[in-house]
Amino acid sequence: CETTQICREKLFKRKLFKPMGDQLATERQMFVIRGEEINTNGFVSGAKPPAKADYLGKMPAEFKMIAALLGDLDNSDGQGKVYFREDSSPDVLARATEHIRQAFPRDDDVDPTSTFIVTWENMAARGTTGRGDRNTFQLVVASMESASYAILLYPRDGLQYLSTSIGGANKPLEAGFNQGMVQGWFYASQGTYYRTTTDEETSIRELTEKTNSGRHGVWVYEIGTTPVFIAITPGMTAKLFTEENVTKPAVTSSPQQPGQQQEFSTSETTTVFAQEEEETFTTVVFAYNLETCANNRQKCSAFADCRDYTNGYCCHCRPGYYGNGKDCVAEGKPQRMNGKVNGRVFVGNSPSPVEFSNNDLHSYVVANDGRAYVAISSIPDSLGPSLQPLSSLGGIIGWAFALEQPGFQNGFSLIGGEFFRQAEVTFQPGNERLTIKQQFKGIDEHDHLVVSSELDGRVPDVPRGASVHIEPYKEIYQYSSNLISSSSNREYTVSLPDGGVQTRSYQWRQTISFQSCVHNEATRAVPPTQQLSVDQIFVMYDAGNQLIRFAMSNRIGSIHSGPPEQNPCFTGRHGCDNNAVCRPGEGLQFSCECTAGFTGDGRSCYDIDECRETPQVCGANAVCSNQPGTFRCQCASGFVFASDGRTCVAESRPVDHCQRGSHDCDAPDRARCSYVGGSAYVCSCLPGFLGDGRVCQDVDECRQDRCHRDAICSNTQGSFVCQCQPGFHGNGFQCSPTTTERQQTQCERHRASAQAASASSSNTGLFSFFRPRPAVGQYVPQCDERGSYEPTQCHGSIGQCWCVDAAGQEIPNTRTGPGSRPLCIEQTVTPPPVGPTPRPDISPAPPGTHLLFAQSGKIELVPLQGDGMKKDEAKALLHIPDRVVIGVAYDCVEKMVYWTDITGPAISKASLNGGDTIPVESPEGIAIDHVARLMFWTDSMRDTVEVAKLDGSQRRVLFDSDLVNPRPITTNPAYGRIYWADWNRDGPKIEMSNMDGTDRTVLVKDDLTLPNGLTYDPDNQQLCWADAGTRKVECMDPHRRLRRTVAEGVQYPFALVSHGRNLYYTDWRREAVVAVDRFSEKETDEFLPQKRSRLYGVTMTPAQCPQAYNYCSNNGGCSHLCLPRLGGFTCRCPDNSTAAAAAAAAAGRCEETNQ
């Protein structure tokens, strides 16, 4: 064999990929690739690839490849290495099977017979080998007769850079499956390129942070059995996987010996296969040692032990303590909780909310009897009495530290102190709704559990001076992998100041999400359901001190009825000190034992001062501080904890050379410095310049014949300008001879013909020359200054108006009677101006929150500061000079702008960070569900409401009946709802349905004329619309159907969006973006674009996605479309509008279910 080749008989041996070139081939034929080429640039190909200049940055390529992490990688310094091997050992096949079954839990017949493993280790980005940033990742191909799978592993901290320099520009790495050129009957065409990342660097970072197989950084794809990638199926498990049926023996953590490797994995890290050059080394699959107890002891509690397992490590609380290993507290020790509460709550029918921020929350739990006390300060008396029914606002700590019955565990025992809780409360009979969000952040340095709480919504009014009594209740908690849910119906009575008594109720639904260690046997052993029993409930609002107080007793046990436990340790009636644990004995016997950190007889316990009794307990360069029952070590100034979490070493801080200005990149007007972590950075030339980022030279575009042949090209630094020569007109890219007399347009010829016909038919009388107007009954088209048909045509003699298209043809269902004009969109494209114009692409947007609005052939951006528009920083974001953009929407996850275009017709998208546009489907209003990854749109020609994935695939019509002129549409992801408006002249209306098309309801039909703009405010749960007929902006609570007017006398609003206190709408007559304060009901600001013309769609680009959850956040396990609805979701198949969709449905691969 040649030096760069491995023959079949040598394939089973571990060989180092020598750094002689960019590829190394094997002669072995595998399940999808013939004659594999293993390339240092992060891929395996089906044939010898061309020069890297032909595929880097130019995907899809013409050859077959699996791109594990494609980029311009470098191993020439000897540190980077590439290993590969074939392995059919039982341990390897077992690990591969485990990952495949976790990714595809419905596949029972997974039994691979061989694996092919490629590891790229410590690979540098070319040109950066001296900076220390390295990437390590791995590809495992598992084969069996019926299917083959690709397992991609990206270990935590294994990706230290996210992009490489290609052609002088910084390009993100990419991963995916490329089919290459496919030979047809008469010619070859480019096959499928299934890309698993995007042009965003965040998608590369998420390779280590997310998953489709239940473990961070592990991605599994079924890739078929034929030698082409026709159907790539991703794994279906986005949630972290808990190994309920696999028990791994614990092993002792010890220093690694030369030639040895340890196997590990946790729910937060990814392990990879590794192999050494020595033939004597026995390879263990998935054994690339990035994280073990030796390096991660500090992640465990000071009262926990770290144990290494055959495939991972885990933290376990020591005897006498309980928790998840990351947070451990002493058994029997009282627990305190501190935090802040923020809220915006409407009381009763009040139109104005009570707002509060940073209010203190304090809680105290006596763990050995389950009693919990909660107090929230600075609650005004306009709200305080009405919060009394919400005992569970602080009762979550009661569940966390509930008194445990035999065989059952409270929340803290199972998941520790880091979790997120969201509760939805619906009050009856008024249907008021309140959302409670609480982020628990673990145990702080004072041994307190830290929480931040947020209240949002409406509560029924409880009069001042009234008291509330809540009956004891039981609540069933359902436990699954990293998610706990519960719901209950509760009653309470309100005793009024006049002596009257009211009985009310509410429904409580909550979810608790968390991350657990996959080896935690306690989590696996917990019953799938447990019952929390709450009694002795006390609630009170202290008006004098503006405090609301809650108290309750909590026990966690079985859902089945049976004789209650009588031992005092399980009833809480034992008399032990608050800082003692009750140990049950036979029958009613028990003993009291002071908890760790205290001393005494159990009836009376006293704190031990560890800092005084053991002065050196914290070691050198550290300070010890005593606390009740424990102590804390803090490193002295200038020192930080080492990897063991105990030793204090001198601090070495990384330097951001880009921010400091100590980099060696070219001048900022020619190059960009990008900080990539640690003290590393990457230099890249700006567009219009060429070089390595340290030296960048201007590209003379004029030498590339970029302008029209009848134009003059002028080169500038980083750009160029095209100008048509004298005697020609155009934008420089297209130039046409200038004529002295413009030819008549179709509309002008139509108008002249109508006027001539009118004149000839009426020119018979003596005074006919005094009649320049047409005769009664004659229609004459109206043309604009450019000679195009006006979008709204009217016939004065009969008092009717209608909409026309660009050819002057009437658009069906738009004709109106006397006194009314339809809402018509201009169908013609504004001609490009004479002179140079920007290129038709997107310019990167600065960070922050912005308004985007559409205007003719572009989308403009206005930054927001608070609720104010920074008008002097407005700029064009996207130029589409030959299009009419109508609707605009924004996906906050991928930072992608979507817009509808009636000239296509099409729906297109482009990254907010810059790049080319990508066509998707067809228009007019558009809305995004960023949680379920869906887009919804209306089509006024087909009279439909439709849904599809964000890439335009799996399209499905939700509604195609009882629609005439649907236009605006908006979403409420948290409730799985969509809202849309139809400006049907005979019956305008605003409708609502679930996202799966169920529960279609008319929300508003009275006092509507032209409901044109529509938006949903999730913070206030308000649906708002702008009506160009009534000239009003109105809002409604869609749950309670309470409607109010925000603004009157507006001119001609088209689109509407909500942000903070304001509603922003575009106005056709004012040709402006107008801001209205929804609370003061006054106009607060106006933005007039430099170019004055009609403004269309408007949307927001928030800096962060709003917090929301629905059941389709991970596609819900559906084979195709997952469509949320209130309280569940529905799996649906796409319409059979394409051959691929029809074939999939016929083959039975799409399953429709209701969940």
Side-chain angles (χ1 to χ4, degrees):
C1 297
E2 299 179 5
T3 305
T4 58
Q5 282 188 321
I6 299 298
C7 300
R8 181 180 179 86
E9 59 269 25
K10 295 183 179 180
L11 186 61
F12 289 87
K13 298 179 181 179
R14 291 171 295 279
K15 286 288 183 178
L16 174 64
F17 181 15
K18 300 182 183 299
M20 297 179 60
D22 272 343
Q23 63 272 345
L24 176 145
T26 74
E27 297 176 351
R28 171 180 170 274
Q29 175 179 329
M30 281 188 56
F31 53 94
V32 290
I33 302 176
R34 300 178 182 272
E36 299 94 330
E37 297 274 343
I38 304 172
N39 197 287
T40 54
N41 285 332
F43 67 89
V44 176
S45 63
K48 184 175 182 178
K52 63 183 181 182
D54 293 335
Y55 60 84
L56 287 181
K58 299 178 180 179
M59 294 295 291
E62 295 184 356
F63 58 95
K64 299 179 181 66
M65 74 155 72
I66 299 178
L69 203 58
L70 179 65
D72 195 3
L73 311 184
D74 189 5
N75 67 335
S76 60
D77 60 356
Q79 296 186 43
K81 293 178 173 59
V82 179
Y83 303 100
F84 69 98
R85 78 180 188 280
E86 185 184 40
D87 200 324
S88 300
S89 63
D91 290 343
V92 171
L93 297 179
R95 279 302 281 167
T97 301
E98 179 185 1
H99 280 293
I100 296 170
R101 286 179 175 172
Q102 290 178 14
F104 298 95
R106 298 179 182 177
D107 293 355
D108 298 326
D109 54 348
V110 176
D111 188 19
T113 57
S114 65
T115 62
F116 183 64
I117 307 166
V118 185
T119 307
W120 290 264
E121 178 184 34
N122 292 330
M123 302 297 289
R126 191 169 299 278
T128 65
T129 53
R131 298 182 200 164
D133 287 338
R134 304 281 171 166
N135 281 358
T136 295
F137 50 95
Q138 189 174 62
L139 165 67
V140 180
V141 179
S143 307
M144 56 187 187
E145 292 184 2
S146 60
S148 298
Y149 298 85
I151 307 171
L152 295 154
L153 302 104
Y154 305 95
R156 184 180 179 184
D157 301 330
L159 302 187
Q160 298 177 4
Y161 59 89
L162 308 177
S163 59
T164 59
S165 180
I166 299 175
N170 213 37
K171 299 286 187 180
L173 302 168
E174 56 183 296
F177 303 86
N178 185 58
Q179 189 178 5
M181 298 300 292
V182 178
Q183 184 64 46
W185 286 103
F186 301 105
Y187 58 88
S189 61
Q190 179 65 50
T192 302
Y193 178 38
Y194 185 96
R195 189 172 178 183
T196 61
T197 59
T198 68
D199 289 329
E200 297 284 338
E201 287 191 354
T202 53
S203 72
I204 311 300
R205 184 180 299 107
E206 287 174 351
L207 289 176
T208 67
E209 299 171 349
K210 295 186 177 181
T211 181
N212 68 2
S213 69
R215 180 167 297 168
H216 283 322
V218 180
W219 302 80
V220 181
Y221 300 88
E222 183 178 356
I223 54 180
T225 57
T226 61
V228 292
F229 302 125
I230 294 178
I232 305 295
T233 304
M236 303 171 60
T237 311
K239 294 181 179 179
L240 295 183
F241 182 80
T242 300
E243 298 181 49
E244 298 176 352
N245 301 317
V246 181
T247 302
K248 304 292 184 181
V251 300
T252 304
S253 175
S254 60
Q256 184 175 339
Q257 302 300 320
Q260 285 187 331
Q261 295 199 34
Q262 296 176 334
E263 186 175 47
F264 70 94
S265 75
T266 73
S267 62
E268 298 180 354
T269 187
T270 303
T271 55
V272 300
F273 302 82
Q275 46 278 334
E276 299 290 346
E277 282 193 83
E278 291 84 11
E279 295 293 325
T280 58
F281 174 68
T282 301
T283 303
V284 180
V285 76
F286 302 114
Y288 190 77
N289 210 10
L290 289 181
E291 288 194 4
T292 58
C293 285
N295 297 322
N296 293 275
R297 177 63 184 81
Q298 74 279 7
K299 295 181 180 178
C300 299
S301 166
F303 309 109
D305 293 320
C306 184
R307 277 186 277 172
D308 283 314
Y309 291 78
T310 17
N311 62 346
Y313 79 91
C314 194
C315 305
H316 297 278
C317 295
R318 296 171 185 160
Y321 294 84
Y322 67 102
N324 67 343
K326 299 289 185 70
D327 289 316
C328 299
V329 298
E331 292 179 349
K333 180 184 176 182
Q335 184 60 47
R336 295 184 182 274
M337 180 176 74
N338 292 330
K340 297 292 184 179
V341 182
N342 301 291
R344 195 165 184 271
V345 180
F346 294 83
V347 177
N349 295 322
S350 171
S352 301
V354 178
E355 298 187 44
F356 50 94
S357 61
N358 288 326
N359 292 35
D360 289 324
L361 181 150
H362 299 283
S363 181
Y364 180 79
V365 177
V366 181
N368 60 21
D369 66 8
R371 286 179 292 134
Y373 305 90
V374 181
I376 305 175
S377 64
S378 304
I379 300 295
D381 56 7
S382 58
L383 174 63
S386 300
L387 290 185
Q388 292 180 94
L390 297 176
S391 61
S392 290
L393 174 62
I396 183 71
I397 196 174
W399 164 79
F401 296 97
L403 184 62
E404 297 173 340
Q405 303 302 293
F408 297 89
Q409 295 175 292
N410 59 32
F412 195 87
S413 295
L414 294 172
I415 68 174
E418 294 187 27
F419 55 91
F420 176 76
R421 180 252 201 145
Q422 178 165 330
E424 303 288 342
V425 190
T426 304
F427 296 88
Q428 298 298 339
N431 203 37
E432 297 90 350
R433 297 175 184 267
L434 182 74
T435 299
I436 302 173
K437 298 178 181 179
Q438 292 180 295
Q439 184 69 57
F440 288 80
K441 304 175 182 179
I443 304 293
D444 67 5
E445 66 273 12
H446 304 294
D447 219 26
H448 295 171
L449 183 59
V450 180
V451 61
S452 61
S453 304
E454 181 181 341
L455 309 183
D456 188 15
R458 188 179 295 272
V459 296
D461 181 38
V462 174
R464 298 178 187 179
S467 61
V468 171
H469 175 71
I470 302 175
E471 293 292 334
Y473 61 88
K474 301 181 186 297
E475 194 169 53
I476 295 177
Y477 284 73
Q478 297 177 322
Y479 297 78
S480 60
S481 176
N482 299 315
L483 185 69
I484 300 171
S485 61
S486 69
S487 61
S488 64
N489 293 303
R490 306 178 191 171
E491 288 190 349
Y492 63 97
T493 56
V494 180
S495 299
L496 303 174
D498 60 4
V501 177
Q502 297 178 351
T503 299
R504 304 178 184 177
S505 65
Y506 57 80
Q507 182 187 53
W508 186 281
R509 184 167 60 93
Q510 68 175 346
T511 57
I512 300 169
S513 55
F514 61 96
Q515 290 188 357
S516 63
C517 179
V518 296
H519 309 293
N520 192 334
E521 298 173 3
T523 302
R524 295 200 301 270
V526 67
T529 56
Q530 295 190 123
Q531 181 171 274
L532 179 71
S533 300
V534 183
D535 57 18
Q536 301 181 44
I537 305 170
F538 168 80
V539 297
M540 184 190 73
Y541 176 66
D542 182 350
N545 296 305
Q546 291 195 323
L547 282 172
I548 186 164
R549 301 180 185 274
F550 304 107
M552 65 217 69
S553 292
N554 308 271
R555 295 190 307 278
I556 194 80
S558 172
I559 64 172
H560 303 295
S561 59
E565 292 290 340
Q566 297 299 321
N567 190 287
C569 290
F570 302 126
T571 64
R573 302 183 180 93
H574 44 64
C576 297
D577 189 273
N578 284 352
N579 293 298
V581 60
C582 181
R583 304 290 187 191
E586 293 291 335
L588 299 179
Q589 295 181 355
F590 67 96
S591 62
C592 300
E593 179 184 314
C594 290
T595 188
F598 289 84
T599 184
D601 61 3
R603 300 283 180 171
S604 299
C605 299
Y606 308 94
D607 175 50
I608 299 172
D609 189 343
E610 294 88 353
C611 298
R612 184 178 62 183
E613 295 190 7
T614 314
Q616 301 302 319
V617 65
C618 287
N621 304 313
V623 178
C624 179
S625 59
N626 186 61
Q627 295 176 4
T630 185
F631 65 97
R632 291 286 176 183
C633 298
Q634 293 178 309
C635 289
S637 178
F639 293 85
V640 294
F641 284 116
S643 59
D644 63 1
R646 297 178 178 179
T647 307
C648 293
V649 296
E651 184 176 15
S652 176
R653 295 184 179 180
V655 177
D656 184 348
H657 293 283
C658 295
Q659 184 177 18
R660 179 180 290 186
S662 53
H663 58 81
D664 58 351
C665 301
D666 207 340
D669 57 346
R670 295 190 292 272
R672 177 186 297 110
C673 179
S674 302
Y675 176 64
V676 294
S679 297
Y681 60 92
V682 174
C683 301
S684 57
C685 295
L686 295 175
F689 294 90
L690 188 64
D692 62 0
R694 288 168 172 74
V695 177
C696 298
Q697 297 179 343
D698 175 56
V699 176
D700 189 350
E701 292 87 353
C702 294
R703 295 185 177 181
Q704 303 172 357
D705 295 330
R706 304 287 288 274
C707 301
H708 192 267
R709 64 177 179 271
D710 295 317
I712 300 172
C713 181
S714 303
N715 187 55
T716 62
Q717 285 293 305
S719 188
F720 65 101
V721 175
C722 298
Q723 180 75 49
C724 292
Q725 296 182 14
F728 295 85
H729 71 278
N731 62 1
F733 299 101
Q734 294 291 330
C735 297
S736 303
T738 302
T739 58
T740 55
E741 182 176 353
R742 180 171 66 84
Q743 293 182 349
Q744 283 190 328
T745 64
Q746 178 183 353
C747 181
E748 291 168 336
R749 292 194 299 272
H750 187 181
R751 181 175 61 187
S753 174
Q755 290 173 337
S758 173
S760 63
S761 64
S762 58
N763 192 15
T764 56
L766 178 64
F767 301 102
S768 60
F769 55 88
F770 290 114
R771 300 179 59 190
R773 296 178 297 174
V776 174
Q778 180 67 39
Y779 160 66
V780 178
Q782 295 94 54
C783 309
D784 64 15
E785 67 275 7
R786 302 189 303 272
S788 301
Y789 284 97
E790 289 280 2
T792 305
Q793 296 285 318
C794 294
H795 192 172
S797 300
I798 61 176
Q800 293 183 354
C801 297
W802 60 91
C803 300
V804 298
D805 59 18
Q809 297 299 310
E810 180 177 348
I811 297 176
N813 299 318
T814 60
R815 187 175 288 259
T816 62
S820 176
R821 291 173 64 90
L823 188 63
C824 305
I825 293 177
E826 187 174 359
Q827 303 281 330
T828 57
V829 178
T830 304
V834 177
T837 59
R839 305 177 199 178
D841 56 15
I842 194 165
S843 302
T849 302
H850 313 89
L851 268 178
L852 300 184
F853 65 88
Q855 182 185 32
S856 187
K858 64 180 178 179
I859 296 175
E860 290 210 29
L861 173 150
V862 183
L864 294 180
Q865 187 169 18
D867 295 319
M869 293 183 282
K870 302 170 70 173
K871 292 179 275 190
D872 55 338
E873 297 183 17
K875 69 170 187 175
L877 176 74
L878 177 69
H879 294 276
I880 325 170
D882 58 343
R883 300 295 180 189
V884 176
V885 179
I886 303 299
V888 185
Y890 180 67
D891 173 25
C892 58
V893 176
E894 296 183 344
K895 293 182 168 47
M896 196 74 70
V897 182
Y898 290 75
W899 67 93
T900 59
D901 159 27
I902 63 169
T903 51
I907 294 175
S908 301
K909 65 179 179 179
S911 170
L912 196 66
N913 294 328
D916 297 332
T917 61
I918 306 170
V920 184
E921 274 292 341
S922 99
E924 172 173 316
I926 184 171
I928 302 294
D929 178 353
H930 70 279
V931 180
R933 317 305 296 143
L934 299 170
M935 65 177 172
F936 300 82
W937 71 93
T938 58
D939 192 318
S940 60
M941 297 299 292
R942 300 177 63 203
D943 293 335
T944 58
V945 176
E946 303 187 43
V947 63
K949 292 284 192 179
L950 287 183
D951 60 359
S953 66
Q954 303 185 30
R955 177 175 175 178
R956 181 182 177 94
V957 174
L958 292 177
F959 302 108
D960 58 3
S961 62
D962 198 20
L963 294 170
V964 178
N965 287 308
R967 177 166 292 157
I969 188 169
T970 189
T971 63
N972 178 5
Y975 282 80
R977 298 279 202 185
I978 55 173
Y979 309 88
W980 69 93
D982 186 335
W983 59 273
N984 173 15
R985 67 185 185 278
D986 296 325
K989 59 185 175 180
I990 298 174
E991 293 188 85
M992 169 184 74
S993 79
N994 290 325
M995 288 181 176
D996 64 356
T998 59
D999 295 342
R1000 181 178 179 180
T1001 306
V1002 175
L1003 279 176
V1004 186
K1005 61 180 180 179
D1006 298 326
D1007 299 324
L1008 290 178
T1009 306
L1010 295 174
N1012 209 21
L1014 192 67
T1015 186
Y1016 184 79
D1017 175 12
D1019 294 333
N1020 299 286
Q1021 296 193 31
Q1022 292 283 299
L1023 181 70
C1024 300
W1025 65 91
D1027 193 318
T1030 62
R1031 298 176 62 191
K1032 293 180 181 180
V1033 176
E1034 298 183 74
C1035 291
M1036 164 187 277
D1037 181 339
H1039 307 295
R1040 305 174 63 204
R1041 310 292 175 93
L1042 297 177
R1043 179 176 175 179
R1044 70 185 183 94
T1045 300
V1046 175
E1048 295 186 271
V1050 299
Q1051 295 294 310
Y1052 211 92
F1054 183 84
L1056 184 72
V1057 70
S1058 170
H1059 174 68
R1061 298 179 59 89
N1062 287 348
L1063 293 170
Y1064 300 87
Y1065 68 89
T1066 54
D1067 194 293
W1068 274 11
R1069 290 200 178 128
R1070 295 170 65 171
E1071 296 178 342
V1073 179
V1074 183
V1076 176
D1077 187 313
R1078 80 178 77 217
F1079 301 114
S1080 66
E1081 300 179 358
K1082 295 180 180 179
E1083 179 181 322
T1084 59
D1085 205 354
E1086 176 188 58
F1087 173 70
L1088 299 171
Q1090 186 174 8
K1091 176 186 175 183
R1092 303 301 297 277
S1093 65
R1094 281 182 174 178
L1095 276 59
Y1096 291 95
V1098 63
T1099 192
M1100 297 295 308
T1101 68
Q1104 293 182 335
C1105 287
Q1107 288 189 353
Y1109 169 82
N1110 63 41
Y1111 291 91
C1112 290
S1113 58
N1114 63 348
N1115 209 47
C1118 296
S1119 62
H1120 289 71
L1121 279 172
C1122 180
L1123 302 179
R1125 68 173 189 272
L1126 188 61
F1129 66 96
T1130 303
C1131 297
R1132 286 288 179 259
C1133 298
D1135 293 334
N1136 295 335
S1137 56
T1138 64
R1149 292 197 297 269
C1150 183
E1151 299 179 4
E1152 294 199 349
T1153 60
N1154 295 328
Q1155 302 291 334

